[in-house]
Amino acid sequence: MINLTWLNTELLIREGKQFSLSDAGQRLYEQGKPLLTAMVNIEREVTRDDPYEGVVKVMSPGSVGLKLYPKLLALQARYPRLSIDYRFAPNADIQKAVGESQIDFGFMSIKPTSPDVRGELLASEPLLLVTPADMRTVSWQGLTELGFIDHPDGAHHADLLLSANFQQFQHSDLLHRKGFSNQISLILEPVSRGLGFSVLPAYAVEAFNAEHAIKAHHLNVAVSEPIYVVMHSKKSLPNRAKTALDEALKWLGS
């Protein structure tokens, strides 16, 4: 008989050159077999890195999100075992989420400053002056009479574009505000109704569903915002995130 001392019981019975299980050995076999199977499954699950299965978490500013989110949903439709978790957020929140590994990757319109976040300049997105459709030509007087439709990045965008194109512009705080919206898809709604003008990145203008009611003006001095792809500086992307990122890169700047 063979005795495994740590169990303090007989597990195997020697019968000449052969062995058979004792009652305790049979019970150990029956209870241990699923544990061994589970250990094999755990190893398989831990090391599995399927490029077309699992949750992919992404964040970006709203305009980039309007461009990319439908494209990533189309990717998910092709590979239904993928799950796209997409959040619209300001740059500071995106950098924080990447640095704390809350998301797989993101896009920012400023270069990241955290040592835990690496950024690569990917593309640029033009800023556009948008007025009601009946304003075919732009003058400073016409804009001041119309008034400004503000949004969370409105002051920053207006300062960049208007200061480069109008001598009379001093500061966005001096613009006559006619409204405000923090919903990226609705900022141009009051513009389409003739209530004011705004300054927005091109992807947000392209996504507006009443394009016949607005006019996007390309001014003499073009101004663009950079687009950085950002991810954790010390971690590699899982294959599913690489699949989503490759798809996103195909559309940015196109």
Side-chain angles (χ1 to χ4, degrees), residues 43-195:
E43 181 180 1
R44 185 182 299 117
E45 287 299 314
V46 168
T47 58
R48 184 163 60 95
D49 192 10
D50 194 311
Y52 306 112
E53 180 178 349
V55 178
V56 180
K57 296 185 177 182
V58 188
M59 291 174 71
S60 77
S63 181
V64 173
L66 289 175
K67 176 78 170 181
L68 289 184
Y69 185 46
K71 310 303 182 184
L72 293 181
L73 289 182
L75 178 71
Q76 182 174 339
R78 297 203 304 271
Y79 304 107
R81 297 180 73 87
L82 278 178
S83 176
I84 303 299
D85 182 333
Y86 203 113
R87 312 292 174 96
F88 293 12
N91 289 308
D93 290 355
I94 298 166
Q95 178 170 259
K96 182 173 184 291
V98 171
E100 295 178 355
S101 298
Q102 297 174 359
I103 61 174
D104 294 299
F105 62 88
F107 298 92
M108 295 171 57
S109 60
I110 61 173
K111 188 175 182 178
T113 56
S114 168
D116 294 326
V117 180
R118 60 186 173 95
E120 179 183 343
L121 182 61
L122 198 62
S124 62
E125 184 179 11
L127 295 178
L128 299 177
L129 173 68
V130 189
T131 68
D134 59 2
M135 181 177 278
R136 308 308 299 176
T137 59
V138 174
S139 68
W140 181 249
Q141 181 178 348
L143 292 178
T144 55
E145 291 175 355
L146 189 58
F148 184 59
I149 303 299
D150 202 1
H151 55 88
D153 289 321
H156 174 61
H157 291 160
D159 285 340
L160 290 175
L161 186 64
L162 299 184
S163 64
N165 286 277
F166 296 97
Q167 287 184 333
Q168 303 94 325
F169 178 82
Q170 297 179 25
H171 195 279
S172 58
D173 287 345
L174 301 178
L175 293 172
H176 176 45
R177 280 166 170 72
K178 295 288 293 292
F180 178 94
S181 176
N182 66 349
Q183 296 295 321
I184 186 69
S185 60
L186 296 177
I187 293 169
L188 292 178
E189 186 66 27
V191 176
S192 71
R193 300 179 184 223
L195 300 176

